[in-house]
């Protein structure tokens, strides 16, 4: 009963207007919100592309419906995940598992990137397998909705864990979870364009995930990185990203002139 009460108390904080008033008037809070916006935006860009590919076999009028139903399910899942996660993240072994998962995501990205660099063939994005189990069970439309929902849940796990790594405060987790879904459906195209112009930003996102994983591991042994230190690391990381980008552009320009 105490566990259930704790979860209910967590949900009750979502409607604590006094807490929200303090959050929205704190510069530190806006710094955390800005961190979540950037991180969620960068991570959601590729996720949005994956979802767009998954529904491309549907008629145009049904694509938006499939994504909208997936959106509703994603919000519900994240709301539940945050409520339960606030309780679980206090356990040291959950932090270790979460940090390990985030670190694995980052390492896997760099391994896949290295493999892709050695492969000269461009793989064309393929749509969803229309002979899959979900399509056979629920039909083309609802099978696609179910697949989108499952993919949304997979993306949600990454985002919720990343938000926990940034801060364990309830409002941070709530805003992070909601922003992740909004970014994926709303302005992911903006970040896709940004990544096209500055490709190094995608790598930066996974470096940040690795930093967040380290932050979670340090918390297990009682070392608090602190918001100021975390923000400084973020600023240095982004500054280094643009330095690398301009250096790469300069190299490309010199090659073209030769």
């Amino acid at each position: 009963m105490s566990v259930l009460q704790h979860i209910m108390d967590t949900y009750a904080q979502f409607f604590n207007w006094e807490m929200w008033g303090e959050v929205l008037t704190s510069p530190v809070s806006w710094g955390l919100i800005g961190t979540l916006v950037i991180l969620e935006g960068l991570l959601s860009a590729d996720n949005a592309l994956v979802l767009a590919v998954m529904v491309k076999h549907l008629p145009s009028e049904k694509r938006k419906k499939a994504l909208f139903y997936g959106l509703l399910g994603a919000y519900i899942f994240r709301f539940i995940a945050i409520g339960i996660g606030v309780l679980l993240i206090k356990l040291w072994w959950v932090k270790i598992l979460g940090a390990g998962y985030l670190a694995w995501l980052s390492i896997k990205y760099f391994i896949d990137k290295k493999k892709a660099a050695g492969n000269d063939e461009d793989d064309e994005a393929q749509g969803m397998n229309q002979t899959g189990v979900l399509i056979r069970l629920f039909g083309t439309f609802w099978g696609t909705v179910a697949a989108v929902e499952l993919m949304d849940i997979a993306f949600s796990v990454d985002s919720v864990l990343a938000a926990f790594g940034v801060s364990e405060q309830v409002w941070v987790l709530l805003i992070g979870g909601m922003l992740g879904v909004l970014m994926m459906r709303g302005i992911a195209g903006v970040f896709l364009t940004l990544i096209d112009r500055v490709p190094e930003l995608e790598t930066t996102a996974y470096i940040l995930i690795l930093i967040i994983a380290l932050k979670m591991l340090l918390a297990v042994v009682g070392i608090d990185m602190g918001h100021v230190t975390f923000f400084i690391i973020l600023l240095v990381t982004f500054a280094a990203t643009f330095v690398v980008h301009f250096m790469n552009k300069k190299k490309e320009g010199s090659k073209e002139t030769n």
Side-chain angles (χ1 to χ4, degrees):
M1 183 62 69
S2 60
V3 173
L4 180 60
Q5 185 62 47
H6 184 93
I7 294 174
M8 295 303 295
D9 290 342
T10 297
Y11 288 138
Q13 292 183 58
F14 295 158
F15 308 101
N16 185 339
W17 308 121
E18 183 178 347
M19 179 194 72
W20 286 113
E22 293 177 1
V23 167
L24 297 177
T25 55
S26 169
V28 173
S29 299
W30 282 106
L32 290 172
I33 292 171
T35 301
L36 290 171
V37 168
I38 294 171
L39 185 60
E40 292 285 358
L42 291 172
L43 291 177
S44 298
D46 282 347
N47 296 349
L49 183 60
V50 170
L51 294 177
V53 170
M54 289 181 68
V55 301
K56 74 175 186 178
H57 63 279
L58 293 174
S60 57
E61 68 274 8
K62 290 188 176 182
R63 291 175 188 172
K64 289 184 178 180
K65 285 185 178 181
L67 291 174
F68 175 72
Y69 291 140
L71 172 69
L72 290 180
Y75 272 121
I76 293 171
F77 173 80
R78 290 196 185 203
F79 193 74
I80 294 172
I82 290 169
I84 298 173
V86 168
L87 176 63
L88 293 179
I89 202 65
K90 297 183 184 299
L91 304 175
W92 65 268
W93 57 270
V94 173
K95 288 184 179 180
I96 291 178
L97 287 176
Y101 177 71
L102 290 176
W104 175 80
L105 279 180
S106 183
I107 293 169
K108 182 177 180 295
Y109 165 79
F110 289 105
I111 292 174
D112 290 344
K113 186 177 180 181
K114 186 176 180 180
K115 289 180 179 178
N119 185 7
D120 295 331
E121 296 181 2
D122 293 329
D123 295 328
E124 183 181 353
Q126 298 296 320
M128 182 179 168
N129 180 8
Q130 297 184 51
T131 61
V133 176
L134 292 175
I135 296 293
R136 293 202 302 269
L137 285 175
F138 304 110
T140 302
F141 177 73
W142 288 109
T144 301
V145 170
V148 169
E149 188 60 51
L150 290 174
M151 190 62 67
D152 267 327
I153 290 174
F155 293 151
S156 295
V157 172
D158 302 347
S159 294
V160 170
L161 278 175
F164 272 116
V166 172
S167 174
E168 294 179 19
Q169 297 181 61
V170 173
W171 68 265
V172 174
L173 305 176
L174 176 63
I175 292 178
M178 299 303 102
L179 279 176
V181 181
L182 182 62
M183 291 284 185
M184 201 182 304
R185 293 294 194 274
I187 62 174
V190 175
F191 282 89
L192 279 172
T193 302
L194 187 60
I195 289 174
D196 283 338
R197 293 183 178 179
V198 187
E200 293 82 2
L201 280 173
E202 185 176 12
T203 301
T204 299
Y206 286 92
I207 291 174
L208 291 180
I209 289 178
L210 201 57
I211 293 171
I212 289 171
L214 176 61
K215 186 173 182 288
M216 289 182 74
L217 284 176
L218 289 176
V220 173
V221 296
I223 300 175
D224 183 11
M225 185 180 290
H227 295 319
V228 175
T229 303
F230 184 61
F231 292 151
I232 291 174
I233 292 174
L234 287 181
L235 291 175
V236 170
T237 304
F238 278 106
T241 300
F242 285 99
V243 169
V244 171
H245 172 67
F246 287 118
M247 288 177 63
N248 289 339
K249 292 289 286 184
K250 190 175 180 180
K251 287 180 182 177
E252 289 176 6
S254 62
K255 287 180 180 179
E256 290 175 359
T257 55
N258 291 336

